Amino acid sequence: MGNFLAGKVVAVTGAGRGIGRAVALAAAAEGARVVVNDYGVSVEGASPTSEVAEAVVKEIEAAGGEAVAVADDISTMAGGQRVVDVALSSYGRIDGVVCVAGILRERMLFNMTEDEWDPVIATHLKGTFTVFRAAAAVMRKQGAGTLIGFTSGNHQGSVSQANYSAAKGGIISLVRSAALGLNRYGVTANAVAPVARTRMSAGVPMELTEIGEPEDVAALVVYLLSDGAREQGITGQVYTVAGPKIAVWAQPRELRSAYAVGGWTPERVAEVLPGVVGVDPMPLLERVREMRRAAASGERPNAQ
Ligand SMILES: NC(=O)c1ccc[n+]([C@@H]2O[C@H](COP(=O)([O-])OP(=O)(O)OC[C@H]3O[C@@H](n4cnc5c(N)ncnc54)[C@H](O)[C@@H]3O)[C@@H](O)[C@H]2O)c1
């Protein structure tokens, strides 16, 4: 056992499988007492069972750690609150929350139903809000705490997962808002965009050229939860971790601007927008075109 998280209490959602499970095991191995939350559902979010969270608690205990299971659905306010309440009732405090829980309902935008949109947004985006909300209220009083959301490289856009992409973009804005709003209370917030072999990534219809294991992601998360990361002032950041690679994403910023004296008209916009303000090329659009060319010629396309 290491001691990166000695004495800390950490709650992890979606901790029954894949990346969340690796984060929960690693946090416990580094000395944290862990709330293992998992609703125990299929990739699409169906057929809940409490056995999935309980199994990870047993694994942590077998390795000499301390953990407690919460099998609630974090897409509800009550579920998010319970994750934090169980940390407080079991261990008396909450130092970090890691919102990993997620589902997929893939469909092209023109065919997507409300039943494919709502649960994906609810699980990822609202499911991060419910836990952040409950934890932030406690961390504000403690004067310390770490919030970690899970996003995806797909926050840049996705051909057939507009619901998932929108949720993941929303999580980045939620994390930045938490970083801004809670900075004065000593609370940090960051987002992780993983690429790791799990049941979720197994369904991706292309070769992922940069991919690693859930344990690679867990190592980054353990560091972000540690006092070391807090002392470095790391907050409001988005990190990709893909096997041996860790990368930081840029903060959004305006690239070029133009001003109209006397106000804009469509004619003035037409004069200024294409040349002066211009566009910022969308790398994913070119990659999607390449993938379509590759697919048309019968190859299995590559994607990062
Ligand atoms: N695996 C990757 O390469 C990859 C890439 C980008 C982003 N992500 C993100 O990382 C996170 C983990 O993904 P994974 O690959 O480990 O997936 P996974 O399917 O292996 O695990 C997700 C877990 O979340 C749980 N869950 C789902 N809905 C829940 C709810 N409402 N309440 C509580 N638990 C719930 C599931 O039961 C499951 O155990 C997700 O947010 C995913 O979007 C993963």
Side-chain angles (χ1 to χ4, degrees), residues 12-22 37-46 48-49 52-53 70-76 83 99-104 119 122-124 127-128 149-154 164 168 171 192-202 204 208 210-212 214 217 241:
V12 186
T13 74
R17 296 193 187 85
I19 295 167
R21 172 179 164 275
N37 162 256
D38 204 293
Y39 195 33
V41 287
S42 67
V43 175
E44 298 77 24
T49 165
V52 176
V70 174
D72 291 46
D73 173 2
I74 47 74
S75 71
T76 67
V83 168
C99 296
V100 191
I103 61 168
L104 292 179
T123 306
H124 290 273
T128 304
F150 263 65
T151 184
S152 160
N154 273 11
Y164 181 81
K168 291 309 200 186
I171 286 171
V192 173
V195 191
R197 282 183 199 89
T198 66
R199 67 175 189 171
M200 195 185 273
S201 60
V204 175
L208 293 164
E210 284 188 323
I211 188 164
V217 184
V241 51

Side-chain angles (χ1 to χ4, degrees), residues 71 121 167 178 260:
I121 302 292

Side-chain angles (χ1 to χ4, degrees), residues 172-173 175-177 179-180 189-190 234-239 248-255:
I172 293 178
S173 295
V175 159
R176 289 204 184 103
S177 299
L180 289 175
N190 293 289
I234 297 175
T235 195
Q237 303 302 307
V238 182
Y239 292 109
V248 67
W249 288 79
Q251 299 287 339
R253 50 179 65 89
E254 293 173 357
L255 288 180

Side-chain angles (χ1 to χ4, degrees), residues 69-142:
V70 174
D72 291 46
D73 173 2
I74 47 74
S75 71
T76 67
M77 292 304 282
Q81 187 65 51
R82 215 173 105 70
V83 168
V84 173
D85 287 350
V86 168
L88 298 179
S89 61
S90 305
Y91 306 126
R93 55 185 295 114
I94 181 88
D95 299 291
V97 294
V98 189
C99 296
V100 191
I103 61 168
L104 292 179
R105 295 192 184 183
E106 187 163 329
R107 192 77 59 199
M108 294 300 285
L109 181 58
F110 41 77
N111 287 327
M112 189 170 283
T113 64
E114 194 174 10
D115 187 48
E116 287 158 345
W117 175 270
D118 282 351
V120 170
I121 302 292
T123 306
H124 290 273
L125 182 53
K126 186 176 174 191
T128 304
F129 163 68
T130 66
V131 177
F132 275 19
R133 161 72 181 83
V138 181
M139 290 173 175
R140 176 187 173 203
K141 289 188 192 136
Q142 286 177 177

